[in-house]
Amino acid sequence: MFGYVRAFKPELKIKDYETYKSVYCTLCTKLGKRYGILSRMTLSYDFTFFAIVRLAASTQCPGFIKGRCCVNPLKKCVKCAGRDDEFDYTCAVAMIMFYYKLRDDINDNGFFKKLLSCFLYPYAAYVHNRAKKNFPDADAVVKQAIDRQNKIESENSSSIDEAAHPTAQAMSELISYGFNGDTKTVLERIGYCVGRWVYISDALDDFEKDCKSGSYNTFAQRTEYRYDDAELNRGIFESAENLLNQSADEAYIAYELLDCENFNPIIENILDCGMSNCTQKILERKVVRK
């Protein structure tokens, strides 16, 4: 995951923001204990959202305790107490995705990034094996999504829906893992919409870079890209914005079907304000570059 799915702090109450941070801090602590200090560097707010939605759907809210920050012992923070099973699963998914992302970087990126990826690969392989041993189903989901994505890219597909489907489907299966009935169905829909939104956000953010390097980008396949054609670019960005808003809206509508007692203000903030704010920031960067 890419770090796009995060809360919009100005619209959160202080107590809700503290709860949001507590889940992030708990994931940071659990990652370090289970997979080593380096694993904490891979943590993004995407996984905080992932964990919060699963915690909300389970209806069993963990308690909260005050403690010291594991990165900065001089700093106090609030952490979750309980529901280790959910945090273990989220951490394992994070490590599995880190491994496959690093493997993909080795194959696709420039010399220096490839060199760094090769340097980190033995560590990534080690944590991947540990995570895979505990959650083989999660590893199978991510691997299958990577294989499907590679096939679509090798065919230079111009369909945004087709290109976004592997990421969306993987998110759908991962976030709903272990649930049953209506709750599973709703989580699958939330996961699919958010996964689709993440893929499109990443493709939009990397649009110019991919065009210059010749890497696959679903938006570039739909037209003959010209860096100096502002009108053409504007049409691409407007199309992407509509797709992103549609995916975020559908995720929010699906979430309203979930009967949750905990974390509601945080999840609503992320699906409504957070994702919208991220979309606007990406689009603003496009305007600045022109």
Side-chain angles (χ1 to χ4, degrees), residues 206-226:
D206 291 344
F207 179 63
E208 291 96 335
K209 182 187 73 174
D210 289 340
C211 288
K212 290 179 179 180
S213 66
S215 300
Y216 174 84
N217 188 295
T218 183
F219 292 108
Q221 307 305 315
R222 298 170 66 84
T223 184
E224 185 177 350
Y225 172 73
R226 287 181 55 193

Side-chain angles (χ1 to χ4, degrees), residues 37 48 62 85 122 126 128 161 164 210 238 258 268 270 276 284:
I37 295 175
T48 307
D85 55 336
Y126 166 72
H128 168 251
D161 287 336
D210 289 340
E238 287 177 356
L258 204 60
E268 289 173 358
I270 294 171
S276 175
E284 286 170 9

Side-chain angles (χ1 to χ4, degrees), residues 4-199:
Y4 295 119
V5 188
R6 58 196 309 165
F8 185 56
K9 184 178 177 181
E11 294 294 333
L12 271 180
K13 292 182 179 179
I14 294 176
K15 65 174 183 177
D16 294 322
Y17 183 66
E18 290 300 317
T19 301
Y20 180 62
K21 285 201 305 180
S22 72
V23 176
Y24 182 93
C25 291
T26 305
L27 286 171
C28 181
T29 301
K30 299 292 187 185
L31 278 171
K33 287 182 177 179
R34 285 160 176 72
Y35 301 103
I37 295 175
L38 279 178
S39 65
R40 291 171 176 154
M41 303 298 291
T42 70
L43 180 60
S44 73
Y45 280 101
D46 291 335
F47 290 105
T48 307
F49 169 78
F50 185 94
I52 285 176
V53 170
R54 287 182 57 85
L55 287 169
S58 70
T59 70
Q60 298 178 19
C61 181
F64 299 93
I65 57 173
K66 291 184 177 181
R68 296 283 179 181
C69 174
C70 55
V71 177
N72 181 7
L74 299 178
K75 180 181 178 181
K76 292 184 178 180
C77 62
V78 178
K79 299 178 184 179
C80 300
R83 295 315 311 271
D84 286 347
D85 55 336
E86 285 297 343
F87 288 105
D88 287 345
Y89 175 67
T90 302
C91 289
V93 171
M95 291 297 94
I96 290 169
M97 295 187 74
F98 166 62
Y99 166 76
Y100 284 107
K101 177 66 169 63
L102 196 70
R103 199 175 70 170
D104 189 54
D105 287 346
I106 292 174
N107 295 326
D108 292 344
N109 282 291
F111 175 76
F112 290 107
K113 194 166 186 179
K114 184 177 293 188
L115 185 65
L116 176 61
S117 299
C118 289
F119 176 76
L120 291 173
Y121 185 80
Y123 168 74
Y126 166 72
V127 296
H128 168 251
N129 287 335
R130 292 197 64 184
K132 179 182 178 180
K133 181 179 179 180
N134 294 325
F135 297 98
D137 291 342
D139 180 73
V141 168
V142 177
K143 185 178 185 304
Q144 186 178 53
I146 295 293
D147 292 341
R148 287 175 178 171
Q149 195 71 58
N150 289 338
K151 183 176 185 297
I152 290 170
E153 293 183 7
S154 68
E155 296 170 349
N156 291 320
S157 173
S158 62
S159 169
I160 294 175
D161 287 336
E162 184 179 32
H165 179 72
T167 299
Q169 186 62 36
M171 182 64 167
S172 174
E173 294 181 35
L174 290 170
I175 204 169
S176 63
Y177 174 78
F179 289 91
N180 298 296
D182 292 341
T183 299
K184 183 177 181 64
T185 301
V186 174
L187 286 176
E188 286 175 341
R189 184 57 182 166
I190 294 172
Y192 191 91
C193 294
V194 171
R196 184 173 186 267
W197 184 91
V198 166
Y199 180 87

Side-chain angles (χ1 to χ4, degrees), residues 221-240:
Q221 307 305 315
R222 298 170 66 84
T223 184
E224 185 177 350
Y225 172 73
R226 287 181 55 193
Y227 190 79
D228 59 346
D229 193 332
E231 192 62 34
L232 175 60
N233 297 343
R234 187 180 298 113
I236 293 172
F237 300 151
E238 287 177 356
S239 174

